[in-house]
Amino acid sequence: MSPTPAVLDGPALWSAQAHIPSVLGRQLVIERGEGSFLHTTDGRRLFDGTAGLWHANIGHSHPALAAAAHAQMLKLETYHIFGRFANDQALGLAERLAGLSPITDPKVILNSGGSDAIDVACKLARRHWQREGRHSKTIILSREHAYHGLHAYGTSIAGLDFNREGYGTESLVPDTARVPVHDVDALTATIAELGAENIAAIVTEPIQGTGGVNPPAPGYLETLQQLCRKHDILFILDEVITGFGRTGTMFAAERFGLQPDLVTFAKGVTSGYAPLGGVLVAPRIWQPFYRGDAATPIFRHGATYAGHATACAVAVANLDVLDGDNLLHRVTELEQLLDSRLKQLAARRPSVTDVRVAGFLGGVTLTEDIKAERAADALIELGFISRPLRGNTLQLSPPFITTDDELTAFVDAIDHVLSEEETR
């Protein structure tokens, strides 16, 4: 069967994470943002119930961030940070991040986003053990339903099978394995089966996002950390979604009392106003690379836009807004309201099988007969953006500047859609 003309005649842009024939002709073209709302080229005004891809924490089109980018570009758009070179914005942001870090006395590796950060963190974990002379420690463990971006390492450690399929091997990067999402006994058994002497690191999101908004089972993350310490396995915390306030603390590590070896970050560091991410690195890992003698090793990381001066200036302005507008406290208020409203929704809608809230992150799981994709499309028609996630789940993660009335209206819109679906 030959391709349809609609597929061949589509726009030049190849949309991300899309079954192309299903989205062509249905795409929403965003042309403007204002606070918690977006405007499309066909005249719609939509509440951004997902904060873009979990990143628009301070809302859209904030003048302070635009001003920071403009001023920096007029001064110096960027200069690389390779070798002897650095730029003042990258140095300043790194100091700011080190002061906010859940890791004591960290070094900060900067790059362009979350997928970059995961690749760097996994490579650094393996490089650490090779430098230590423990050459068998190469396996990277991750959890079922995990999402860690779509670079080679992120694809390889994904706990969402559909992101690993179709490339000819079970894992693009060798030596990866996955463990059940909350099962400590299964994790312990996997470590015993693979041998702790062969495991370099365990990577986990503190709260799984794309996998369905899955908060950790009580005590799970703490036990995972204890197992890492017991078996000399590096503990990598993927805070690309949760970092910079999404859980009501600057990092989820603080909320759960964790002390990871490596923390990856991105999205919230600039609220999406510029592409930037990175890794916070604990002293036990960075110190050998700073020894200062002829035998000091080199960790070969770095990309053209690592430490991009304009992106760093935007990040600093974003952190100022988070602090100056007391938005982390606002997140704790919104979490309580979201939790209350979703529990009420679940109590009156038989189509809801579960609701989960952790920080200002919510998931609404639906019965099999009501597809999350269809519900999300119906919400668009009412002026609200949600997103279907794994497990037939609707995502709720609006900007931190969301008002109580806006959040209530969002949940009410979901209620309305489900009521209509239940009577179809």
Side-chain angles (χ1 to χ4, degrees):
M1 181 180 294
S2 61
T4 65
V7 172
L8 296 179
D9 293 343
L13 179 67
W14 190 336
S15 295
Q17 289 286 72
H19 178 254
I20 299 299
S22 299
V23 301
L24 287 181
R26 302 176 58 244
Q27 288 166 307
L28 296 163
V29 181
I30 308 300
E31 65 173 355
R32 183 165 58 90
E34 181 182 10
S36 295
F37 290 85
L38 299 166
H39 297 262
T40 66
T41 53
D42 63 357
R44 303 177 191 232
R45 181 175 183 261
L46 302 173
F47 177 72
D48 189 2
T50 62
L53 291 174
W54 323 85
H55 63 255
N57 293 347
I58 66 168
H60 300 282
S61 304
H62 197 294
L65 274 67
H70 179 255
Q72 183 58 41
M73 285 185 177
L74 291 177
K75 177 184 175 186
L76 172 70
E77 75 294 343
T78 195
Y79 204 76
H80 69 79
I81 58 172
F82 281 40
R84 290 182 61 195
F85 292 91
N87 66 70
D88 61 340
Q89 296 302 315
L91 289 169
L93 175 61
E95 293 299 326
R96 182 84 172 263
L97 295 176
L100 298 172
S101 171
I103 296 172
T104 302
D105 191 24
K107 295 300 181 188
V108 182
I109 293 174
L110 295 174
N111 49 43
S112 299
S115 292
D116 285 0
I118 286 291
D119 259 32
V120 168
C122 291
K123 287 170 60 180
L124 181 53
R126 289 183 58 160
R127 183 72 178 90
H128 168 77
W129 293 118
Q130 296 304 300
R131 187 204 55 73
E132 290 277 301
R134 301 175 68 177
H135 302 296
S136 66
K137 290 180 78 68
T138 58
I139 298 173
I140 306 291
L141 291 183
S142 54
R143 295 165 68 201
E144 178 188 24
H145 309 326
Y147 179 82
H148 299 292
L150 291 174
H151 285 0
Y153 246 121
T155 297
S156 299
I157 64 175
L160 299 166
D161 291 343
F162 52 77
N163 278 339
R164 291 202 321 277
E165 294 169 350
Y167 300 105
T169 59
E170 195 274 336
S171 181
L172 285 175
V173 179
D175 296 341
T176 70
R178 278 140 298 284
V179 298
V181 65
H182 294 307
D183 192 334
V184 171
D185 292 338
L187 171 60
T188 303
T190 298
I191 293 173
E193 178 185 351
L194 296 175
E197 71 279 6
N198 300 316
I199 302 173
I202 295 175
V203 185
T204 185
E205 301 158 276
I207 300 165
Q208 291 187 334
T210 303
V213 186
N214 303 314
Y220 177 83
L221 292 175
E222 296 88 336
T223 302
L224 188 155
Q225 179 172 263
Q226 291 168 7
L227 287 171
C228 286
R229 299 288 183 262
K230 176 181 177 180
H231 295 290
D232 213 6
I233 297 168
L234 296 184
F235 180 29
I236 303 176
L237 203 60
D238 181 349
E239 294 237 31
V240 168
I241 288 174
T242 53
F244 304 99
R246 182 55 70 172
T247 65
T249 53
M250 189 58 71
F251 290 91
E254 301 167 54
R255 177 170 174 139
F256 296 110
L258 304 175
Q259 296 179 318
D261 297 297
L262 298 161
V263 173
T264 61
F265 64 87
K267 300 182 186 294
V269 69
T270 66
S271 287
Y273 281 67
L276 189 143
V279 187
L280 304 173
V281 184
R284 67 178 291 206
I285 299 172
W286 67 255
Q287 284 176 350
F289 295 91
Y290 278 68
R291 273 193 313 229
D293 57 41
T296 300
I298 296 175
F299 176 49
R300 298 289 182 179
H301 74 88
T304 300
Y305 300 121
H308 192 282
T310 300
C312 291
V314 168
V316 170
N318 176 66
L319 295 174
D320 288 344
V321 171
L322 288 175
D323 184 41
D325 292 354
N326 202 21
L327 290 180
L328 269 64
H329 175 69
R330 178 60 181 152
V331 165
T332 64
E333 296 175 338
L334 288 165
E335 175 182 7
Q336 294 171 14
L337 178 60
L338 180 61
D339 185 58
S340 172
R341 290 292 181 175
L342 289 189
K343 285 176 178 175
Q344 293 171 22
L345 176 71
R348 65 177 173 265
R349 289 270 72 88
S351 56
V352 175
T353 64
D354 190 28
V355 294
R356 297 172 298 284
V357 173
F360 198 28
L361 290 161
V364 177
T365 300
L366 308 177
T367 53
E368 292 182 1
D369 58 312
I370 298 179
K371 299 303 180 186
E373 291 83 355
R374 194 168 69 225
D377 285 344
L379 283 166
I380 291 289
E381 298 308 312
L382 296 178
F384 296 87
I385 297 175
S386 181
R387 195 163 70 107
L389 303 176
R390 184 212 66 83
N392 205 33
T393 295
L394 289 172
Q395 172 187 341
L396 297 86
S397 58
F400 301 169
I401 61 169
T402 298
T403 67
D404 289 4
D405 287 345
E406 289 165 353
L407 183 57
T408 297
F410 186 22
V411 177
D412 286 348
I414 295 173
D415 190 10
H416 177 79
V417 165
L418 296 182
S419 175
E420 293 288 312
E421 288 287 330
E422 288 168 4
T423 57
R424 280 175 62 121

